[in-house]
Amino acid sequence: MKRIKIKEALLQGKAGDEILIKGWVRTFRSNRFIHINDGSTIHNLQAVLDFENFDEQELKRITTGACLALEGSLVESMGKGQHIEMQVTKFEILGECDPNVYPLQPKKHSLEFLRSIAHLRPRTNTFGAVLRVRHALAYAIHNYFNNKGFFYLHTPIITGSDCEGAGEMFRVSTLDPRNLPKNEDGTIDYSKDFFGRETNLTVSGQLEGELGAMAISEIYTFGPTFRAENSNTPRHLAEFWMIEPEMAFCDLNDNMDLAEDFLKYLIQYALNTCADDLQFLSARQQEEEKNKPQDQRSMELLEKLKFIIDNRFARITYTEAIDILENSKPNKKGQFQFPISGFGTDLQSEHERYLVEKHFKCPVILTDYPKEIKAFYMKQNPDGKTVRAMDILFPGIGEIVGGSQREESYDKLLNRIHELGLKEEDFWWYLDTRRFGSAEHSGFGLGFERLVLFVTGMSNIRDVIPFPRTPKSAEF
RNA sequence: UCCUCAGUAGCUCAGUCGGUUAGAGCGGCGGACUGUUAAUCCGUAGGUCGUAGGUUCAAGUCCUACCUGGGGAGCCA
């Protein structure tokens, strides 16, 4: 008999169907009721066996976590809680699971504990749901861009040093750290290294992405990204996945339109295809937050997701944001830890949260930041003070998208590189796009895990990636 | 990296002012029961109190350092 998935049995199965299913035992009650799950859906199949007909010693091997193959027929359930169940005629234990040492019990576990057993946590309802939603979102990303005629560009994961400018990087080397080849002045001789130069893991595919856009017009990247920053927060990972579209013939407004449309499409896709999982995650979140005071609780998950889809993101410039913040109640009452002191100061988390959660009460796109606090490649505005940057801020998550229109003028870009003390020769290939057939172009980066965090209503980014890498932690 | 809180049984936690043999629920094991829904009932085993020092007649409890984790901040996606 051909094995079918539990999702199929529950969705399409009819009473009388003879089926074979395989999966892992969640609970075994009354020596009669096996709740079994194979990860195809959040729902378990209740399999009923008449213990009178089976060997007692064999039944004892059916324990929480054991892997079973069950043969039998679907029948209408006599009990409450499920419409259909399986009457087992034959079972085989594919993999035993010693209940003395198996860490997952049929009870609530803390997310912190589950993180310490990341190799087994996919077998829980919560992580099963998160993984399915994560998959759906990844699939939707390719779907969206493919439908729009974008090409998936594979930018390198190993990059030459100093060419990206953003943050601490992980070194990639095959040199023996106990015996490093040295130059005469005592510095490390990287010409002896694998690539004959210093190399690192990528912190962004953007610069290479721009090369693609300046040839095939519209591209996106979707790959792992590495930041060696010592960030210990529920929103940062050392290894995460980032989506970076880059579009030729596209200004900042087009860029914002695309980003907003993209995010709404992804959320709608999750609502359409992961209703059961999101329903479960919503209940989980409400259960977790029931001890919090009313004003600190999140909006119900499905309601929150629909709200994002149904409302236009607020769009304001950095200068307007400073204005709003200067005149805000918390600023006047001195409630901000960092008071707003006019143009030029970088916005702190508390300011972003005020704008998103109190003032606009919806996602906010902030544009035209002072050039001093943004990257060298952003297009300079005629005012000489600001650049065509945009950050999308989401409630509870903060910055989910960061992007900009890129500086397409060779001279202006080169000036900025010099102003910031960057080495022109490191960017020769990047500058070439501005030398040879330059064009207006824009793009942004979307943190994939931050999106998954938002859509699943989980509160720690380490719980929306299967095997999180963070400072002092790279187990599994 | 900074601030802050925590670490006691497999898990979640209690442990009073420093004082005798460190507790509970769940889970496990043994048994009873058998249409259960985190089943129920009876019984039972299970501990280097994060690690290393220190104070004290006496430390789970006080002090110091370190490790790990949570929350907040910075950096950012």
Side-chain angles (χ1 to χ4, degrees), chain A residues 116-271:
Chain A
S116 73
I117 49 164
H119 58 310
L120 296 172
R121 66 180 183 169
R123 296 188 187 185
T124 63
N125 286 332
T126 299
F127 285 89
V130 167
L131 291 180
R132 285 185 294 271
V133 172
R134 184 182 166 103
H135 160 79
L137 288 168
Y139 181 79
I141 284 161
H142 290 296
N143 226 14
Y144 179 85
F145 286 124
N146 186 57
N147 290 344
K148 282 210 170 323
F150 283 58
F151 299 106
Y152 181 23
L153 183 74
H154 295 99
T155 51
I157 290 173
I158 300 171
T159 69
S161 65
D162 291 336
C163 288
E164 313 204 21
E168 292 290 308
M169 302 174 88
F170 289 102
R171 188 161 291 145
V172 174
S173 175
T174 54
L175 294 177
D176 179 356
R178 290 156 304 186
N179 184 24
L180 293 167
K182 298 275 173 66
N183 294 310
E184 284 183 6
D185 61 1
T187 57
I188 295 161
D189 180 6
Y190 284 105
S191 71
K192 299 280 196 309
D193 206 345
F194 186 87
F195 294 106
R197 60 179 299 167
E198 204 175 343
T199 49
N200 295 291
L201 293 179
T202 183
V203 295
S204 164
Q206 183 202 315
L207 301 192
E208 290 91 350
E210 286 187 46
L211 308 182
M214 297 306 281
I216 54 177
S217 296
E218 276 147 345
I219 65 94
Y220 69 104
T221 73
F222 183 7
T225 310
F226 307 88
R227 304 267 167 98
E229 251 106 44
N230 194 5
S231 299
N232 292 289
T233 84
R235 297 179 306 281
H236 288 87
L237 291 165
E239 177 184 289
F240 64 99
W241 289 67
M242 186 155 64
I243 300 102
E244 296 179 288
E246 194 69 35
M247 298 81 72
F249 323 117
C250 174
D251 67 14
L252 191 70
N253 285 320
D254 303 327
N255 198 16
M256 288 190 280
D257 289 344
L258 182 88
E260 183 170 342
D261 184 57
F262 177 48
L263 285 167
K264 287 176 174 174
Y265 173 89
L266 297 177
I267 292 168
Q268 185 67 61
Y269 186 90
L271 282 169

Side-chain angles (χ1 to χ4, degrees), chain A residues 3-53:
Chain A
R3 168 225 170 199
I4 64 165
K5 292 196 178 184
I6 288 172
K7 183 180 185 177
E8 199 184 325
L10 290 173
L11 235 55
Q12 289 142 34
K14 290 180 291 293
D17 290 356
E18 291 289 323
I19 59 166
L20 165 65
I21 59 119
K22 297 181 181 183
W24 293 268
V25 176
R26 289 296 176 76
T27 61
F28 183 33
R29 273 192 298 272
S30 301
N31 221 11
R32 187 188 292 277
F33 302 100
I34 304 170
H35 276 226
I36 190 164
N37 187 285
D38 64 3
S40 59
T41 161
I42 185 88
H43 302 294
N44 300 326
L45 178 68
Q46 172 157 287
V48 185
L49 42 78
D50 296 324
F51 56 87
E52 304 87 346
N53 304 333

Side-chain angles (χ1 to χ4, degrees), chain A residues 130 133-134 137 141 222 227 229 231-243 263 266-267 301 304-305 308 349 352 374 391-403 445-465:
Chain A
V130 167
V133 172
R134 184 182 166 103
L137 288 168
I141 284 161
F222 183 7
R227 304 267 167 98
E229 251 106 44
S231 299
N232 292 289
T233 84
R235 297 179 306 281
H236 288 87
L237 291 165
E239 177 184 289
F240 64 99
W241 289 67
M242 186 155 64
I243 300 102
L263 285 167
L266 297 177
I267 292 168
L301 185 61
K304 179 185 83 172
L305 298 178
I308 298 287
S349 295
E352 296 182 349
K374 287 292 178 185
D391 284 357
I392 303 185
L393 309 177
F394 262 33
I397 307 284
E399 187 176 343
I400 196 167
V401 163
L446 167 68
F448 183 54
E449 282 75 17
R450 289 194 180 169
L451 174 72
V452 182
L453 199 55
F454 184 78
V455 172
T456 57
M458 300 293 285
S459 47
N460 192 312
I461 202 162
R462 299 167 193 204
D463 297 329
V464 298
I465 187 167

Side-chain angles (χ1 to χ4, degrees), chain A residues 264-282:
Chain A
K264 287 176 174 174
Y265 173 89
L266 297 177
I267 292 168
Q268 185 67 61
Y269 186 90
L271 282 169
N272 291 350
T273 57
C274 304
D276 288 355
D277 288 320
L278 292 174
Q279 194 59 59
F280 173 84
L281 289 166
S282 169

